Amino acid sequence: MATQHSRSAARLMVMPAVIVLFLWMIVPLGMTLYFSFMDYRPMRGVFDCCVGFDNYARFMSSGSFWDAVSVTLAMVGGILAVTVVGGVALSLLLDRPMWGQGMVRILVIAPFFVMPTVSALVWKNMFMNPVNGLFAHLWKFFGAQPVDWLSQAPLFSIIFIVSWQWLPFATLILFTAIQSLDSEQLEAAEMDGAPARSRFIYIILPHLSRAITVVILIETIFLLSIFAEIFVTTGGAFGTRTLTYLIFQRVIESQNIGLGSAGGIFAVILANIIALFLMRIVGKSLDS
């Protein structure tokens, strides 16, 4: 059992790292909050202090604000649906014995290590290009008209690209959870005559509930800030402008750091609300 002296020594040793991490987070957040109350346009030489909540009112009153919020939530929801359902299916498949199982597992996880910008460029130019892309050649082979995915189905295309990146992460977490399942339960259910569907619904899926909630929590926090894939593929056009991309455009187009900072605070508030909501769900799942 740890003594009071050892606990104090542990806190003392951890404190420098905690202080550095705290400053690493609080300084940028504090500067963003400070600039959000200012009319700060450095390229035009404007530095008007204390404009109050004008930047927040301008950002929220913009017709693009709620559209960007709805697109962000729709994109995150679509990606979560694909990665969770696909992750469960792939983890069940990888749990079965097969030839070259180790290599297959590595190949399934590999896309997670590809940088978002590189991934978006590959999908845009090699697969979804309406002239020279692989999908265009497949469509022509079957006698169909090629589809310009990024202009005709832009939201679906970005969801597909980002899901391809995050599917390995969900698969890895869920596969680890499946491997921790007691095989005797499945064997007993199989001996009792339970079909595969019932074993999945009543044994495997409840066992995966905690892992699924963790996947949803972690992915949501990161997916709320999707930017690189949109920047590389559609540039925010065709109804793919998320809240993060809207903030970027406001700063670039108006050169108004204060307006962009107000949007950044909105994004932080939205991310924290969703994170707290998901944390409650995760906490209830872990307590059950």
Side-chain angles (χ1 to χ4, degrees), residues 4-184:
Q4 182 65 31
H5 177 72
S6 62
R7 285 196 294 267
S8 299
R11 294 192 189 99
L12 185 63
M13 287 185 288
V14 171
M15 190 174 296
V18 173
I19 293 174
V20 170
L21 288 175
F22 178 77
L23 293 176
W24 186 271
M25 294 184 296
I26 203 66
V27 170
L29 181 61
M31 293 180 64
T32 303
L33 185 62
Y34 171 69
F35 287 135
S36 67
F37 293 104
M38 303 174 61
D39 183 9
Y40 181 30
R41 289 172 286 176
M43 299 298 292
R44 302 179 185 179
V46 178
F47 189 82
D48 187 6
C49 181
C50 303
V51 296
F53 290 93
D54 288 352
N55 288 325
Y56 292 91
R58 285 179 58 192
F59 195 82
M60 284 195 66
S61 61
S62 171
S64 304
F65 173 71
W66 293 109
D67 290 338
V69 172
S70 61
V71 168
T72 302
L73 296 179
M75 196 173 292
V76 171
I79 295 168
L80 287 176
V82 173
T83 53
V84 170
V85 175
V88 172
L90 282 176
S91 59
L92 290 173
L93 181 63
L94 292 177
D95 191 49
R96 294 181 174 274
M98 66 179 73
W99 182 83
Q101 190 175 50
M103 183 61 66
V104 172
R105 292 175 180 176
I106 294 174
L107 292 176
V108 169
I109 298 172
F112 187 65
F113 300 101
V114 180
M115 290 184 294
T117 306
V118 175
S119 173
L121 283 172
V122 169
W123 280 100
K124 177 183 178 181
N125 297 318
M126 294 185 62
F127 292 94
M128 295 183 175
N129 188 288
V131 178
N132 299 316
L134 177 62
F135 295 159
H137 289 296
L138 289 175
W139 257 240
K140 291 177 183 177
F141 178 78
F142 289 105
Q145 184 69 23
V147 178
D148 188 356
W149 294 95
L150 294 174
S151 62
Q152 297 179 9
L155 192 60
F156 170 81
S157 300
I158 294 179
I159 289 175
F160 185 85
I161 293 172
V162 181
S163 297
W164 178 81
Q165 293 178 269
W166 281 93
L167 183 58
F169 171 79
T171 303
L172 181 62
I173 300 298
L174 296 172
F175 176 65
T176 304
I178 284 181
Q179 287 195 316
S180 66
L181 177 63
D182 189 1
S183 59
E184 294 181 358

Side-chain angles (χ1 to χ4, degrees), residues 44 102 120 155 193 201 204 219 232 236 242-243 255-256 266 270 288:
R44 302 179 185 179
L155 192 60
I201 295 175
I204 297 177
E219 286 194 9
V232 170
T242 60
L243 183 58
Q255 295 294 324
N256 193 332
F266 273 121
L270 176 64
S288 61

